Amino acid sequence: MPQLRLDDLLDELQARLDAARGTRDRIHSLLEAVLAVGRDLELNQALRHVVEAAVTLVDAEYGALGVIGDDRYLSQFVPVGVGDEEIKRIGPLPSGHGLLGELIHHPAPLRLTEIAEHPSSYGFPAHHPPMHTFLGVPIRVRDKVFGNLYLTEKRGGAEFDAEDEAVLSTLAVAAGVAIENARLYTQARLHERWLTAGAEITSSLLSGSAEQEVLDLLVDRAAEIARADLAVVALRLPDTQELEVRIAVGLKAEEHRGLVLPLEGSFVGAAVCAGGLVVSTDVHEDPRITVGPPRWEGLGPAVAVPIGTSEGGIRGVLMLARAAGAPLFEEDESGPLQGFAGQAAVAMELAERRRDSEQVALLEERDRIARDLHDLAIQRLFATGMTLQGATRFIDHPGANERVLRAIDDLDETAKTIRSTIFGLRTRDTGPAARGLRAKVVEAVARAAEVLGFTPALRMTGLLDTTVPPAVADEAIAVLQETLSNVARHASAGSAEVWLAAADGELVVTVTDDGVGLPEGGRRSGLANLAERATALGGGFDARALPAGGTGIVWRVPLPAA
């Protein structure tokens, strides 16, 4: 009997020693996991290491970490134990419903012997691996629940016990500290990148770069730093409640570029109406988007911020979007966009002031040229004509007399042309001449330059404001606008030239570019419209590829006799 009693005591002692060793090993493993997690400074890597450490510590087959977003659903889900092929077969990752949502709404440790028996459980999707036992604990960062750790299927068919819960809760505390450090590091790096990009924009502004170049640079940097799959800049059209998409780069950008959208019923318009930043968790299903063609397929989280302020005038909107399933735009990412968009407003303001200054200089130069033409050229032509006219009485040869009279008539016509040119040079923003064909052509070319990225060369000859009827002038402007629009959309040109001539009883509009030329079998609906306009006025139209590359468009219509 004493020997049996001693054997029992020794067995009990051995069991306690084994348990102590197991606890010691587990504490060591926990400490190693805490140290490993604490070394991570990249947030996504830190999250994955937390899940991997949790799976190892409690001997679970599957684990996951769900990050809770501002909408109280999961904005990010990091699984471990399930392969990429299985994830594809299962479908979209959980968003925080059912049992996972239980921990979101009640952030406290939860242990289950059978998942299916919990009231919040409503089953698994097709192709999902079977899961029964469950252990979940919240992760807090500065007393705020950041997310939850989910562990399922303890190996060997055992159940998760109180010791597993204690170990996982301890890891969650360490994970909260590590996540906070990683977030602070990420914020610092992100802030540094925004500052660097801002300095680049400022340098571009001060160097006198064109507005389009600055906006292109701004869009590229914003998309790169915010990890956006689509970046859009929409500018507000003057005296309207509409926005025109001027720049679109990234995923399906061609479906957005050139769209004209109202303020009510569009995502970019919502930013103007709100006067500040607006965010969408899924732009494809956003209820604020009610107009425009379908163009959001494959996109998910989005953010839009106005360019300018409601006090100083909103000039446009910068919009960024990520692919469906990508993480939402966090406050740390979207916050700096407002300052960045403010730089875009400064770029546009400087470009406008620069254009005004250039316009003033141009008008002053036109005044000088007009004075010189009037005081020198016309007076000399008039004097020459008077001299020739006085000399005709000394010419006896009929042929010579006729040629001199013809030269006098040519001088008169030349003087009239110069007077018309002076009239055009002295045109201001008011008065009848401001509504003439010359002024409208200059305005149309200036508008096209904003889309083209360069200013086309412009030549105008003849009495455009006096010999071209208003109806013909309107058709010519429409033809010019459509032609330059075609150059911007299809030609990929680096330069273009516009020439309007009123001579020999007809008006000729010629537009050439150095782009890709007319493609074989390409769409010709736009060219057909131009031809129809010419035919309706009794004229003709020709479009052809130029020998040196590019396209030449010639549109001509007859003018009524004077």
Side-chain angles (χ1 to χ4, degrees), residues 30 49 145 165 181 191 195 251 277 327 335 340 349 353 453 532:
L30 177 60
H49 283 177
V145 178
E165 181 180 318
N181 290 338
H191 185 63
L195 288 177
L251 187 63
L277 185 141
F340 209 58
E349 182 74 20
R353 294 290 179 265
E532 290 174 2

Side-chain angles (χ1 to χ4, degrees), residues 327-362:
L328 302 179
F329 285 94
E330 300 292 340
E331 183 178 352
D332 299 337
E333 297 173 306
S334 58
L337 279 178
Q338 302 209 48
F340 209 58
Q343 289 183 306
V346 172
M348 298 172 67
E349 182 74 20
L350 287 177
E352 185 176 321
R353 294 290 179 265
R354 192 180 298 122
R355 284 196 299 268
D356 289 345
S357 176
E358 291 172 353
Q359 185 69 13
V360 170
L362 176 63

Side-chain angles (χ1 to χ4, degrees), residues 433-508:
R435 296 187 294 272
L437 181 55
R438 286 178 178 269
K440 291 179 179 178
V441 168
V442 172
E443 183 180 352
V445 171
R447 283 200 305 268
E450 298 177 3
V451 181
L452 289 166
F454 59 84
T455 301
L458 175 61
R459 288 191 296 161
M460 291 184 283
T461 58
L463 304 178
L464 295 173
D465 290 335
T466 56
T467 61
V468 181
V472 177
D474 291 342
E475 288 294 316
I477 293 298
V479 166
L480 181 59
Q481 289 174 337
E482 185 168 352
T483 304
L484 291 175
S485 176
N486 289 337
V487 173
R489 287 182 295 172
H490 307 302
S492 300
S495 64
E497 182 175 351
V498 176
W499 183 18
L500 269 76
D504 300 328
E506 65 176 2
L507 172 66
V508 181

